Amino acid sequence: MTRVQSGTIVVLLATIALNCAALAGEKTAWRLFVSDHSEPIVNVIDLLKQEKIETYATKAPARLYRSKTGRTVLAVQRGADVVTAIDSGISFDDHGDHGDIKVKAPRLLGLEIAGKQPSHVVEYGGEIAIFFDGEGRARIASERMILESKSVLRETAPGMPHHGVAVASDRYTLLSEPNVKNSDALPIGIKIVDKSGAQIGGVHSCPDLHGEATSGNVLVFSCATGLLVASMDGSAPQVKHLPYAAALPSGKTTTMLGGRGLQYFLGNYGADKVVLMEPTEAEPFRLVTLPMRRVDFSVDPVRAKFAYIFTEDGRLHRLDVIAGKLDGSLRVTEPYSMDGHWNDPRPRLAVAGDKIAVTDPARGVVSLVDAMSLTKAGEIRLGGTPFNIVAVGGSGQTHDD
Amino acid sequence: MIKTLRTVVLAGLVSLSPLAAGAVSTKKLNVVASFSIIGDFARHVGGDRIDVRSLVGANGDPHVYEPRPADVRTIAAADIVLVNGLQFEGFLRRLIEASGTKAPVVELTKGVQPLKSTEQAHNRERSGHHHHHGDYDPHAWQAVPNARIYVKNIVDAFCSIDPPGCTTYETNAKAYDATLSVLDEEIRATIARIPPHKRVVITAHDAFGYFAHEYGLTFLAPEGVSTDAEAPASDIASLIRQIKRDKIAAIFVENITDPRLVQRIAAETGSKVGGELYSDALSRPDGPAATYVDMMKHNASTIRKAIAPDVP
């Protein structure tokens, strides 16, 4: 055990606190953006006040994506062939050892990116790529341009319609390669194109490609056979195939998340299992069996060692990423069976500071859970069928200067 | 902010408790170093009494390092964690919190006279802000006298948690310190052979402030003290103008950064890339900078050969 010279620390911290107080105040703000499953609306909730502050009409029910900075929320409306951009109103200015926070009213940016059947949205290195399944192409914009309500930076060449994905860097774009024999089937791999559209090298095989995630500087796609691990740091993207470990049972990952603060990936693996993936480790896959089938999951961007998994029995489980074990559970909603249509309204998760927000479409509420104690922390009544959810916010300094 | 600072303050003030009696008589001290250069120092001091693991390995960039769950397990199993300090390891707090470790975290720059970060002065001029940033350049190991302070701090830390091994640590450190003293003299002699008006060097990021201050060179860099942000276009343009105006011929890539920016500057100015310098990480064992001593010799020699090839 270490012995701390507590008196000295108290004096030092008091001095630091006084200095900081003299320089700046601190502010915390969190907002939840919640789309409805059946109505074309996006509600905005002030989490600290636990009240709705805004409702935006969209053209169709939306899936929501938030940018890494949290400044932008994209409402993807597949049913209306459009993506609507929303300014979350919360922004941070990085100052090295701290960040300044600015809080303004959320607003529609007046920017709509149109195209047939928008699907996956992927942000990498400040560039946001939206794939349009109906056109087999991506439209790419920087967040800065979106916030300035400027139209698309560039788009890839149209291709065979398919349910695909694109990831763009400043020089290259990784694009899903469709199955030419059957456009309804999942893509068969990834190709790399430069800014002129010229393909670099061959197609990197990834049968049944579905699911991608980034964690730090590593980008991963999930395939029937394993993972495609891409590094975009060098002069040209490096892509390697990492087969599933022989010890894993038969299955594959089709939905993935990237760790924040720790570099790892969390994916589904069959209906009632998840897999933790660390591509650079000697044993890259750790399987975690769930008590019931998975409904949704989310990583904790603040407490990096935790992720959360919601199962069809209405329980929220906390996953210790380091130990590879569930370390707590809480009943949050009534059961939501995974039988029935894949797109039935079921709970979705978002982590907002020290709270986990869980949409409960059947009751028209967003339930809040304390992330540390895994106890109920209230609920916010929205009505309708709250479904997709993203959280934006944090703490920062405010200055009078 | 308070939380971040408290972590740093605590790390600076821990008083190290010895391990349970006999703990190291049966097992080696489990030492975790934040990056490869510190790992090399620890290896020289600890010798056979320790096992060292560097979180950021050869050619890795600590500025943008993303810690992994395996690193958390490594920290959790550590007897002691050696770090640079001066806000160099941005990833450290996340790791310490996630691991729940009780191991002492020792900042090796304690006792070093830190240099003000040129980047901060530059940023203030540009933005007009008056915030408290990381005001000091963290790359203190780039001057050998500072490396000798690092080594002394490691000896003190190892002796505190493993008193039975203290004599061994002190003996090892004494021998290594003699090597560092000779290295310091060699570098001074190497740089002294370069005509003073030619001692201007371009690198990718501002990692050589202590080297410049100690040995009498000027380093210019398009990126600041961290590699995690793009260099502003205006800075690059200004640097290109300066290279052309002052006819600066020595421009170097670094092992931890993307060489494209430096290569672009070289192409724009007609300069030749004079080689690769090792700033924040050692090379792989088969490379030219597998140890700290090799790294410093390689850097000094590479700079000298590029600036003054005619000087022996």
Side-chain angles (χ1 to χ4, degrees), chain A residues 91-302:
Chain A
S91 61
F92 293 90
D93 189 14
D94 184 19
H95 286 250
D97 65 340
H98 72 277
D100 286 1
I101 186 170
K102 287 184 180 169
V103 181
K104 297 178 179 175
R107 65 189 177 102
L108 288 173
L109 283 159
L111 176 68
E112 292 189 334
I113 302 169
K116 286 184 185 173
Q117 300 178 338
S119 59
H120 290 289
V121 178
V122 180
E123 181 181 7
Y124 189 90
E127 305 227 25
I128 297 171
I130 306 166
F131 197 83
F132 291 84
D133 291 355
E135 303 172 42
R137 77 156 102 197
R139 293 185 170 87
I140 299 156
S142 69
E143 182 174 37
R144 184 172 53 82
M145 290 185 73
I146 290 172
L147 287 166
E148 291 172 359
S149 303
K150 290 179 179 170
S151 60
V152 167
L153 179 68
R154 66 184 190 272
E155 55 187 20
T156 60
M160 178 178 167
H162 69 286
H163 184 46
V165 66
V167 184
S169 74
D170 57 342
R171 300 174 73 199
Y172 299 97
T173 302
L174 277 61
L175 278 167
S176 53
E177 178 71 8
N179 184 332
V180 293
K181 295 175 184 171
N182 179 7
S183 65
D184 290 334
L186 289 170
I188 60 163
I190 286 286
K191 65 185 174 192
I192 302 167
V193 298
D194 65 16
K195 276 196 168 178
S196 73
Q199 187 171 329
I200 311 295
V203 173
H204 299 272
S205 177
C206 181
D208 291 356
L209 187 156
H210 192 274
E212 62 71 37
T214 57
S215 183
N217 55 356
V218 176
L219 166 67
V220 170
F221 299 92
S222 49
C223 328
T225 52
L227 306 179
L228 275 192
V229 183
S231 168
M232 310 257 279
D233 285 345
S235 50
Q238 303 294 309
V239 181
K240 292 179 184 173
H241 182 263
L242 178 67
Y244 292 127
L248 289 176
S250 178
K252 65 177 181 178
T253 295
T254 56
T255 302
M256 277 196 298
L257 301 172
R260 304 270 301 276
L262 287 175
Q263 193 166 63
Y264 72 94
F265 297 91
L266 174 65
N268 65 330
Y269 198 85
D272 64 349
K273 296 179 182 66
V274 295
V275 63
L276 287 162
M277 297 166 275
E278 296 175 66
T280 56
E281 292 302 309
E283 294 182 10
F285 299 97
R286 289 182 293 154
L287 197 66
V288 181
T289 301
L290 305 173
M292 300 286 281
R293 288 179 292 184
R294 183 192 69 94
V295 176
D296 194 29
F297 52 17
S298 182
V299 301
D300 191 326
V302 179

Side-chain angles (χ1 to χ4, degrees), chain B residues 135-155:
Chain B
D135 279 344
Y136 297 106
D137 181 346
H139 305 86
W141 64 86
Q142 283 292 347
V144 179
N146 289 339
R148 296 170 75 176
I149 294 172
Y150 281 46
V151 170
K152 183 181 179 304
N153 287 335
I154 292 171
V155 174

Side-chain angles (χ1 to χ4, degrees), chain A residues 1-5 8-9 12-13 16-17 20 26 95-98 100 171 216-217 233-235 261-264 278 280-281 286 305 321-322 397 399 401, chain B residues 1-2 4-6 9-10 13-18 53 64 66-70 72-73 87 94-95 97-98 102-104 129-134 258 260:
Chain A
M1 284 293 290
T2 56
R3 292 195 309 275
V4 173
Q5 300 171 9
T8 313
I9 288 176
L12 272 167
L13 288 178
I16 290 163
C20 292
E26 285 199 9
H95 286 250
D97 65 340
H98 72 277
D100 286 1
R171 300 174 73 199
N217 55 356
D233 285 345
S235 50
L262 287 175
Q263 193 166 63
Y264 72 94
E278 296 175 66
T280 56
E281 292 302 309
R286 289 182 293 154
K305 70 180 284 188
V321 171
I322 313 305
Q397 289 191 11
H399 298 267
D401 55 357
Chain B
M1 180 178 182
I2 294 291
T4 307
L5 284 169
R6 179 162 43 205
V9 171
L10 281 168
L13 289 179
V14 285
S15 58
L16 309 177
S17 303
R53 171 137 181 212
V64 294
E66 289 287 341
R68 302 165 175 93
V72 178
R73 293 190 287 273
Q87 297 186 27
R94 281 176 276 158
L95 273 180
E97 284 179 357
K102 299 290 189 293
H129 274 284
H130 301 284
H131 304 307
H132 175 83
H133 298 265
D258 188 334
R260 284 178 296 170

